[in-house]
Amino acid sequence: MKLLKPTWVNHNGKPIFSVDIHPDGTKFATGGQGQDSGKVVIWNMSPVLQEDDEKDENIPKMLCQMDNHLACVNCVRWSNSGMYLASGGDDKLIMVWKRATYIGPSTVFGSSGKLANVEQWRCVSILRNHSGDVMDVAWSPHDAWLASCSVDNTVVIWNAVKFPEILATLRGHSGLVKGLTWDPVGKYIASQADDRSLKVWRTLDWQLETSITKPFDECGGTTHVLRLSWSPDGHYLVSAHAMNNSGPTAQIIEREGWKTNMDFVGHRKAVTVVKFNPKIFKKKQKNGSSAKPSCPYCCCAVGSKDRSLSVWLTCLKRPLVVIHELFDKSIMDISWTLNGLGILVCSMDGSVAFLDFSQDELGDPLSEEEKSRIHQSTYGKSLAIMTEAQLSTAVIENPEMLKYQRRQQQQQLDQKSAATREMGSATSVAGVVNGESLEDIRKNLLKKQVETRTADGRRRITPLCIAQLDTGLKEQNLVKELRPRDLLESSSDSDEKVPLAKASSLSKRKLELEVETVEKKKKGRPRKDSRLMPVSLSVQSPAALTAEKEAMCLSAPALALKLPIPSPQRAFTLQVSSDPSMYIEVENEVTVVGGVKLSRLKCNREGKEWETVLTSRILTAAGSCDVVCVACEKRMLSVFSTCGRRLLSPILLPSPISTLHCTGSYVMALTAAATLSVWDVHRQVVVVKEESLHSILAGSDMTVSQILLTQHGIPVMNLSDGKAYCFNPSLSTWNLVSDKQDSLAQCADFRSSLPSQDAMLCSGPLAIIQGRTSNSGRQAARLFSVPHVVQQETTLAYLENQVAAALTLQSSHEYRHWLLVYARYLVNEGFEYRLREICKDLLGPVHYSTGSQWESTVVGLRKRELLKELLPVIGQNLRFQRLFTECQEQLDILRDK
Amino acid sequence: MAKVSVLNVAVLENPSPFHSPFRFEISFECSEALADDLEWKIIYVGSAESEEFDQILDSVLVGPVPAGRHMFVFQADAPNPSLIPETDAVGVTVVLITCTYHGQEFIRVGYYVNNEYLNPELRENPPMKPDFSQVGPVSTSCFPQGRSLYLGGVQPFKLRVKVTS
C-alpha cells in the first residue's frame, strides 16, 4: 500500500466535506467551504496517480472550480455514467452539473487569482425542495433516480431523467438525515439519521421496508455526516456511527432478515463514513498451490471522527490496514477508484489523502460479468443484466442517445437505413465566430458591436454571441452542415499524407492465424507437409518457368525460383492511362549511329509527345502519371519524368526483369529470380529491397497471376491459387490479404451491417485484389444450418481480416469502410469489449500524459474523426449508451481543447 | 436554475484618467432565450454617505439574447464632477454595474475606484476645490456580487474584496 497526501488538493485551507472519483478515473470532485460560498472543484486525477504528471506544469491539476453554491457543499457525487455531477449544500440546493461544450477556458469570475478553468462545467439543474441543508446525495445504480437527504428530516427521490421532477419524498425520520446509499441491485435505498435509526425503503413503492434502531440506541452526540454504504454483492449494509457496549462501531446489517449480528469495531470515536469497494474480490491464485475455489469477498473502508481510517476485507476478522492520525480533523468522505485499488479520503482539516493498494493486498477483482452472475444467482434479476426484452424498458440517460433511438425507430418505419449515416454524430458545435479567435473578437468588439436606438431613444446593444448552447434545434442544422465537410477532409487527407507503411501487429497476428486455418483445409497437402517444408523443397517450381526458360538465367542462383521474362520485341505500345490519355511507344533498334543500334522510347501524354533513345533493347515499359520507366536488356532499368527527363542513372537489376510496374512515383521491379524491389523515385528511397518471393511461392506450383502496386507503394501479388499477399515494408513480411477459398468469407454474413448499396461498391486495392466476391457463397452458407454462434465467429473473424488487410494495404478508404462495417456488426451483435477497445484506440488519451504512444492518425485518417463517424452507429444500440456517452463526452472535451 | 449568469467583466483601459470614459467588457451566459432585453446600468457612487449622490452614468438595453454565451462592451462617460460632493472627490469610491430584467435587479458587480492626485504635492495638500483634471490614473478593482439570476430573488449586497490600487 502506498499513501500520498497531494497538498495541492485543497480549498485554501477550508474544510473539504466530500470527495468523489469520476467513473472513468481521470478526474475527481471535491466539495466544501469556499471563500464565502460553497465550493465544488474538479481535479485532474493523473497528477495524483503519477509523479511525473504532478511535476509537469503543462498538466493541469485543477480542471474546474464552481462557487455557485451559496453555502458550504456537503456532498458531491458523479452519476454512474460520469456525465453528471450532483452537489448538495447548506444552501438547501442540489445542483446538477454537466460538461459544457464551449470554446476556451474561462476564469472563475470574481476570484482574485488567475486560475483558468480547463474544463467547463455548467449547472444544468437546480433542485429545490429541501427546507434545510442537504447532507448527502446518491445516484441510483442506473442513474434513473437521484436521492438527496437533508436536515429537514426527509429523503427526496428525484427523477434524474426529468429534473426537477420529484418521484417521492420519504418521510419517517425524526432527525437530521445524514447519509444515503442505494442497494446495488436497485431494490432498496437506505438512509441514516440523527434520530438513532437507519431506515431501508423499497424502490418499488417508496415505502418503508424496515427501521433499524437497536445498534444506535446508545449513540450520543452528533457527527457531521453519517455516510453508510451497501456492499457491491448486495448482501450487507454497513452503517456509520453505531454503538456496541459503549464502543463506536460500524454496524453490519444483513440483507437477509435485516439481522444485526456483526459490526466493525476498533475506532475510538464515531464512524462518519463507510464506503464499500465497488469490486468484489476473490483470493489471488498462487502458482503451484492447489486451486481451491475461495468464496468471493468484499472490501470496505471506514473513516472516523478519530481521524483514522481502516480498511476491511469481509473474509478477514481483523482490518487489512488501519491508518491513525491520517488527518488533523475528522474524516468526511471516502471514494474508491473504479478498479478498486485506490481510495481518496477527505477531511474536515481541508486535506485529501490517496491510498494505493496492490492486487496482492486486496485480491483478484471479479469481472463485471462475474459480478452480474453473483447478482443474478442471488437476486434473480439484476439491473446490470439487461436482456433484449428488458432493454426496451431501460432508461435512456443521454438526450443524444434518445435522439438516436428515436431516429432509428423513425428509420425503421421508413425503411431508410441509408439515412442513418447522413445524420452523423449530433454533438453540439462550439462556434468560433467566423473563424476568429476569441482574442480577435475582443479586440474589435467595441467597433463591431451593433448599437441601435429604441423607439424611446434608448441605446440598445446587440450582444455578440460567442458560443451557442447545446440545446434546441439549431444544433442539428449545424451538424448537417458540418458533415460533408468532415467527410471531405478525411478523404482528402487519405490521398495526401499517408505515413509510410504503418505496421499493424494486430493484422499480422490475424493473418498468421488465417494462414494456418487455410492450410489446414487445403486438399491433398497434409498439414505436416506444409509445416516441415524446408527451403530446399522449394527448389525449382517448374510451372513458374515458361517458354523463356533459357533466357539469361545464368546469373540467377540454381536453387532459385524463376519467373517468366519478356522476350524482346521489335516494337510495342503500352497504354498507361486513358484519362489523361497517355501511352508509351517503344521501337527497338530503329536507328544505327556509328555501328550502335539505338532503341527509341516515345511517350504521348494528351497530345504532348516526347522521345528519347536508349542503347539497348527495351524489354518492357511501364508508366504512371508521375514517371515512365523502361527495363532494357543487360538488366538495366531507366526512369524518366513525365516530360522525358532522365531521373536516375540506369539501375542495374540483380537479375533480368520479369515484370515492371509504376504507380504514382513508385516503381516496382520483379525479377526473373523472383525478387521484388520497390523504389520511390521522387524521394529517392527504397521501399522494398530485393525481397524474395520464396516465402509465398515456395514449394507449390503456383504462379503470380496478377501484380498490383498500390498508390502507397505497397506491392500485392495475386497468386494462381487465389491467395493474395502484400508486402508490408515496415514489418518486412508478406501478409495474406485475400484468399478466394477462404471459408470465412463464405460463411460470414454481415449484410445487415452493410451501410447501403452504394457503399458496397467500395473501391480500392483490397476490392481489386479480392474481386467482387459474389454474395452467392454467403447465401449458400446460409442455406446450410450454420449455428448462429459459429456464424458470428466467422463473420467477426472475416471482418477483422478485412479491416487488417485494408490497414496493411494502407487503403484508407477501404479501412474506413470495413471498420464501419465491423463496428456496425459489433453493435448489432452486442460485442462490447471489442467495440470498447476500438473506441479507446480511436479516442486516445484525453489528457496529455507522458509516455503516451498513441498515434492520432491511422492510414492518414484522423482517428477521432473516425470515432465521430462510429458514434451514430454505437448510438443505435441502447445497450451501448454508456460507451456512447463516454466517447461523446471525451470527444467534446478534446474538441474544447 | 440560473438563467443568466455573468461569466466575466473586464475593465478595459485601466487605469485611466478621471475624464476618460469607463469601458467594461461583459460576458454572460444565458441558459435559454430571453423574451425581453436585459437592462444594464453603470452607477457611480458619488458619496458613501448617501444614495442621493449616485450618478447613473449610462444605461443600455441588451438584446436579443438567445441561449448561449454573449459578450458586449459597455461604455459610459465619466461622472460629472460637479455632482460629486467636494469632500468625497478624492479617495476610494465605487462603480456599480447592475443588470435588471423586467425591472428586477439580479446582478450587481462592484468596482472600487481610487481617485488620486498625480502630483505628490497635491496629494499631500489637496486643494479645497477638487481639481479633477489632476486626478488620475483612476484604478478599479472588482468585487462581484450576486452574479446569477436565480428564480428566487436578489442576493444581498455586501462588500468583500479588500481594496487594492
Side-chain angles (χ1 to χ4, degrees):
Chain A
M1 189 199 75
K2 279 182 264 181
L3 173 66
L4 171 78
K5 282 193 87 170
T7 49
W8 45 269
V9 181
N10 63 63
H11 286 198
N12 301 103
K14 297 277 196 304
I16 297 178
F17 282 108
S18 185
V19 65
D20 201 35
I21 302 172
H22 190 274
D24 73 5
T26 59
K27 51 188 160 238
F28 64 96
T30 56
Q33 182 68 50
Q35 202 63 37
D36 61 357
S37 63
K39 189 167 175 179
V40 176
V41 186
I42 296 171
W43 307 87
N44 193 355
M45 193 74 187
S46 77
V48 177
L49 300 173
Q50 282 162 304
E51 201 180 345
D52 289 345
D53 289 354
E54 187 176 8
K55 284 176 186 157
D56 191 335
E57 285 180 2
N58 296 323
I59 295 173
K61 293 191 171 67
M62 188 191 287
L63 299 177
C64 187
Q65 185 179 323
M66 298 94 92
D67 53 0
N68 299 36
H69 270 286
L70 305 170
C72 182
V73 174
N74 292 315
C75 188
V76 285
R77 291 290 180 261
W78 297 99
S79 64
N80 297 287
S81 67
M83 190 151 97
Y84 297 104
L85 175 72
S87 59
D90 285 354
D91 54 2
K92 307 167 194 171
L93 303 177
I94 298 135
M95 296 194 183
V96 180
W97 306 86
K98 191 184 176 212
R99 261 309 281 272
T101 49
Y102 283 140
I103 40 168
S106 68
T107 52
V108 182
F109 178 57
S111 73
S112 46
K114 290 197 167 56
L115 281 168
N117 282 338
V118 180
E119 291 185 355
Q120 312 299 316
W121 288 79
R122 195 160 54 88
C123 179
V124 287
S125 300
I126 293 182
L127 309 178
R128 303 157 199 279
N129 182 257
H130 288 293
S131 54
D133 308 0
V134 177
M135 298 309 294
D136 204 1
V137 293
W139 296 86
S140 71
H142 283 269
D143 289 344
W145 305 310
L146 176 70
S148 62
C149 65
S150 159
V151 300
D152 66 6
N153 302 0
T154 66
V155 174
V156 172
I157 311 290
W158 308 84
N159 182 354
V161 186
K162 227 171 112 189
F163 285 131
E165 190 181 286
I166 294 173
L167 292 173
T169 304
L170 313 182
R171 293 174 210 278
H173 278 293
S174 55
L176 324 180
V177 191
K178 291 183 171 175
L180 282 175
T181 184
W182 291 89
D183 163 23
V185 292
K187 221 176 149 186
Y188 302 109
I189 178 169
S191 57
Q192 192 175 352
D194 265 356
D195 61 2
R196 296 177 194 173
S197 80
L198 184 157
K199 294 190 196 298
V200 181
W201 316 78
R202 287 187 296 268
T203 57
L204 191 68
D205 53 4
W206 304 115
Q207 295 303 309
L208 188 68
E209 165 82 16
T210 185
S211 179
I212 295 150
T213 54
K214 206 168 140 264
F216 311 104
D217 284 345
E218 299 175 50
C219 290
T222 57
T223 58
H224 193 276
V225 288
L226 295 166
R227 303 199 205 269
L228 64 175
S229 182
W230 215 305
S231 69
D233 59 8
H235 283 303
Y236 302 106
L237 170 63
V238 177
S239 78
H241 189 34
M243 296 291 266
N244 188 356
N245 282 326
S246 18
T249 63
Q251 183 66 45
I252 301 171
I253 299 152
E254 286 172 64
R255 188 194 189 92
E256 193 68 42
W258 310 114
K259 288 191 288 252
T260 54
N261 297 330
M262 296 178 287
D263 46 21
F264 292 125
V265 197
H267 282 286
R268 283 157 305 183
K269 286 184 181 172
V271 169
T272 47
V273 47
V274 176
K275 199 63 161 279
F276 267 99
N277 191 315
K279 293 279 182 198
I280 302 174
F281 293 91
K282 58 175 186 277
K283 276 246 163 57
K284 205 157 176 71
Q285 298 287 357
K286 286 193 188 91
N287 288 339
S289 70
S290 61
K292 244 190 268 169
S294 70
C295 233
Y297 54 88
C298 298
C299 172
C300 177
V302 179
S304 159
K305 243 176 146 173
D306 68 5
R307 301 173 289 150
S308 64
L309 177 85
S310 56
V311 179
W312 304 72
L313 301 179
T314 52
C315 62
L316 297 178
K317 288 226 164 71
R318 306 196 140 267
L320 181 71
V321 63
V322 180
I323 303 160
H324 291 292
E325 316 265 312
L326 189 55
F327 297 103
D328 296 335
K329 285 181 179 168
S330 167
I331 289 177
M332 298 306 292
D333 203 0
I334 299 171
S335 177
W336 287 89
T337 57
L338 202 63
N339 68 12
L341 294 175
I343 36 177
L344 272 173
V345 188
C346 72
S347 161
M348 188 93 101
D349 71 6
S351 69
V352 163
F354 180 71
L355 275 74
D356 190 18
F357 293 95
S358 73
Q359 251 173 35
D360 292 330
E361 290 161 327
L362 296 184
D364 281 333
L366 299 187
S367 68
E368 285 304 306
E369 275 158 33
E370 287 171 295
K371 200 164 134 185
S372 294
R373 221 173 293 139
I374 289 179
H375 285 174
Q376 202 165 28
S377 65
T378 321
Y379 314 109
K381 190 188 114 184
S382 157
L383 271 171
I385 310 160
M386 293 235 193
T387 60
E388 287 302 330
Q390 287 166 325
L391 270 178
S392 60
T393 57
V395 176
I396 296 171
E397 298 158 356
N398 183 335
E400 300 294 342
M401 190 79 197
L402 188 66
K403 228 180 269 172
Y404 283 122
Q405 291 288 330
R406 284 221 185 111
R407 203 176 288 160
Q408 201 188 0
Q409 282 163 9
Q410 187 66 37
Q411 277 159 0
Q412 278 166 357
L413 287 174
D414 296 348
Q415 301 276 316
K416 278 185 197 163
S417 60
T420 325
R421 288 171 306 117
E422 314 288 323
M423 302 301 267
S425 72
T427 49
S428 60
V429 179
V432 175
V433 185
N434 298 331
E436 277 180 294
S437 75
L438 204 57
E439 280 309 305
D440 294 338
I441 294 169
R442 291 182 61 173
K443 269 183 216 153
N444 298 317
L445 187 56
L446 186 61
K447 279 180 225 153
K448 277 192 179 172
Q449 79 186 9
V450 182
E451 242 184 78
T452 48
R453 294 268 168 192
T454 58
D456 51 0
R458 300 191 55 189
R459 274 166 70 202
R460 182 179 192 232
I461 296 173
T462 307
L464 185 72
C465 184
I466 51 175
Q468 229 140 22
L469 270 191
D470 48 352
T471 51
L473 299 162
K474 253 174 224 155
E475 152 205 27
Q476 273 188 349
N477 300 335
L478 272 168
V479 168
K480 270 185 201 156
E481 281 165 26
L482 274 180
R483 291 316 301 168
R485 210 186 66 199
D486 285 356
L487 288 174
L488 242 150
E489 269 173 13
S490 53
S491 65
S492 64
D493 280 354
S494 64
D495 286 335
E496 299 300 320
K497 32 180 184 188
V498 175
L500 246 179
K502 213 179 125 237
S504 151
S505 59
L506 183 79
S507 68
K508 191 185 162 197
R509 188 171 53 82
K510 294 268 164 57
L511 286 167
E512 273 169 5
L513 282 173
E514 191 177 327
V515 170
E516 226 175 84
T517 53
V518 165
E519 276 174 355
K520 239 184 264 176
K521 72 174 206 41
K522 214 168 153 64
K523 283 176 208 156
R525 235 159 41 88
R527 186 184 164 180
K528 189 176 71 178
D529 202 292
S530 67
R531 272 300 172 91
L532 297 175
M533 193 185 302
V535 187
S536 58
L537 268 179
S538 65
V539 181
Q540 295 288 348
S541 42
L545 300 172
T546 52
E548 285 84 19
K549 231 181 219 176
E550 73 293 338
M552 286 185 260
C553 60
L554 287 170
S555 60
L559 290 184
L561 290 159
K562 275 188 213 137
L563 295 180
I565 58 168
S567 58
Q569 287 169 289
R570 182 99 198 96
F572 61 91
T573 311
L574 177 82
Q575 170 115 29
V576 173
S577 72
S578 52
D579 184 33
S581 141
M582 182 174 170
Y583 55 91
I584 299 168
E585 278 175 66
V586 171
E587 285 174 275
N588 283 326
E589 299 177 317
V590 277
T591 48
V592 180
V593 179
V596 183
K597 287 174 179 171
L598 292 180
S599 299
R600 177 173 292 138
L601 169 69
K602 262 197 210 171
C603 180
N604 186 313
R605 183 178 168 151
E606 288 179 305
K608 282 179 197 154
E609 216 173 58
W610 57 265
E611 57 178 75
T612 185
V613 286
L614 293 111
T615 53
S616 52
R617 285 192 293 177
I618 298 167
L619 293 174
T620 182
S624 71
C625 292
D626 294 335
V627 288
V628 170
C629 67
V630 291
C632 307
E633 284 178 323
K634 299 174 199 160
R635 296 184 276 142
M636 287 297 180
L637 184 75
S638 299
V639 183
F640 302 93
S641 74
T642 40
C643 298
R645 191 169 52 87
R646 183 179 272 279
L647 291 174
L648 300 166
S649 315
I651 296 170
L652 182 68
L653 295 172
S655 55
I657 190 79
S658 172
T659 317
L660 194 63
H661 254 280
C662 289
T663 303
S665 61
Y666 295 98
V667 174
M668 174 174 73
L670 183 63
T671 66
T675 60
L676 180 88
S677 302
V678 176
W679 305 278
D680 182 338
V681 291
H682 277 184
R683 291 197 293 139
Q684 307 242 337
V685 289
V686 64
V687 180
V688 180
K689 191 188 170 197
E690 287 176 36
E691 197 56 48
S692 169
L693 267 64
H694 269 285
S695 42
I696 57 171
L697 287 176
S700 55
D701 23 285
M702 287 180 288
T703 53
V704 177
S705 58
Q706 195 194 355
I707 298 177
L708 189 83
L709 183 64
T710 71
Q711 55 178 343
H712 306 304
I714 310 278
V716 187
M717 303 281 143
N718 257 352
L719 304 185
S720 54
D721 67 348
K723 292 199 177 82
Y725 295 90
C726 81
F727 189 78
N728 186 334
S730 46
L731 288 178
S732 281
T733 51
W734 287 100
N735 293 7
L736 181 73
V737 288
S738 166
D739 185 357
K740 288 254 158 60
Q741 274 115 53
D742 188 358
S743 54
L744 290 178
Q746 281 158 19
C747 292
D749 179 20
F750 51 90
R751 282 171 305 155
S752 59
S753 305
L754 283 173
S756 66
Q757 289 304 315
D758 57 333
M760 278 276 289
L761 308 168
C762 175
S763 64
L766 189 61
I768 294 169
I769 297 159
Q770 295 182 330
R772 299 260 173 263
T773 35
S774 67
N775 276 345
S776 62
R778 254 169 248 148
Q779 274 149 10
R782 280 171 66 83
L783 292 179
F784 307 125
S785 54
V786 182
H788 184 66
V789 180
V790 175
Q791 182 140 51
Q792 252 185 2
E793 282 169 347
T794 52
T795 309
L796 269 187
Y798 174 73
L799 289 176
E800 280 165 7
N801 283 341
Q802 292 296 91
V803 173
L807 193 64
T808 316
L809 290 170
Q810 298 189 13
S811 168
S812 56
H813 185 54
E814 286 172 303
Y815 175 71
R816 193 179 134 254
H817 168 76
W818 285 109
L819 187 71
L820 282 170
V821 173
Y822 178 52
R824 227 173 255 130
Y825 188 75
L826 291 178
V827 169
N828 289 348
E829 301 291 317
F831 287 98
E832 174 155 16
Y833 287 115
R834 290 181 198 215
L835 193 60
R836 191 171 275 278
E837 191 181 65
I838 293 176
C839 293
K840 212 171 153 187
D841 175 59
L842 291 179
L843 186 69
V846 176
H847 292 295
Y848 168 80
S849 128
T850 47
S852 164
Q853 299 281 318
W854 189 74
E855 298 266 352
S856 65
T857 58
V858 57
V859 288
L861 299 171
R862 285 201 201 99
K863 284 186 176 174
R864 285 169 183 160
E865 294 297 322
L866 275 174
L867 184 58
K868 275 184 207 161
E869 285 189 64
L870 284 190
L871 272 185
V873 176
I874 297 167
Q876 279 164 20
N877 191 339
L878 196 50
R879 197 194 291 269
F880 297 123
Q881 59 172 324
R882 288 280 158 76
L883 181 62
F884 174 87
T885 311
E886 277 172 38
C887 293
Q888 193 193 36
E889 281 187 340
Q890 302 204 8
L891 279 177
D892 288 345
I893 297 171
L894 289 162
R895 200 201 35 232
D896 293 351
K897 283 183 177 173
Chain B
M1 61 168 292
K3 271 194 183 176
V4 177
S5 56
V6 172
L7 298 169
N8 194 28
V9 177
V11 187
L12 306 178
E13 287 132 50
N14 182 30
S16 61
F18 183 83
H19 287 293
S20 70
F22 283 107
R23 242 179 237 173
F24 296 98
E25 177 203 277
I26 300 167
S27 23
F28 62 99
E29 180 183 285
C30 183
S31 64
E32 55 188 88
L34 298 181
D36 292 299
D37 291 351
L38 294 167
E39 184 178 5
W40 294 79
K41 279 184 200 148
I42 297 181
I43 300 165
Y44 187 88
V45 177
S47 166
E49 308 297 324
S50 162
E51 284 190 23
E52 188 188 325
F53 299 103
D54 284 4
Q55 292 183 44
I56 297 180
L57 299 185
D58 203 352
S59 114
V60 289
L61 297 171
V62 169
V65 184
R69 238 183 220 200
H70 309 276
M71 200 172 191
F72 69 99
V73 173
F74 190 2
Q75 181 174 332
D77 289 335
N80 182 352
S82 61
L83 299 177
I84 301 172
E86 287 177 7
T87 47
D88 290 308
V90 176
V92 175
T93 183
V94 167
V95 162
L96 296 171
I97 300 170
T98 66
C99 184
T100 53
Y101 186 67
H102 288 169
Q104 187 190 28
E105 180 184 300
F106 63 93
I107 290 169
R108 193 166 256 241
V109 180
Y111 281 86
Y112 288 108
V113 178
N114 192 5
N115 296 327
E116 265 184 330
Y117 286 113
L118 269 181
N119 189 333
E121 239 176 73
L122 285 171
R123 220 180 281 178
E124 290 296 314
N125 307 301
M128 284 302 287
K129 179 105 179 128
D131 179 4
F132 283 99
S133 63
Q134 295 293 310
V135 172
V138 177
S139 62
T140 48
S141 56
C142 161
F143 56 96
Q145 273 306 318
R147 305 193 318 273
S148 303
L149 168 58
Y150 292 107
L151 295 179
V154 184
Q155 289 307 310
F157 174 57
K158 59 185 190 226
L159 302 181
R160 71 176 196 205
V161 175
K162 64 174 187 288
V163 184
T164 52
S165 57

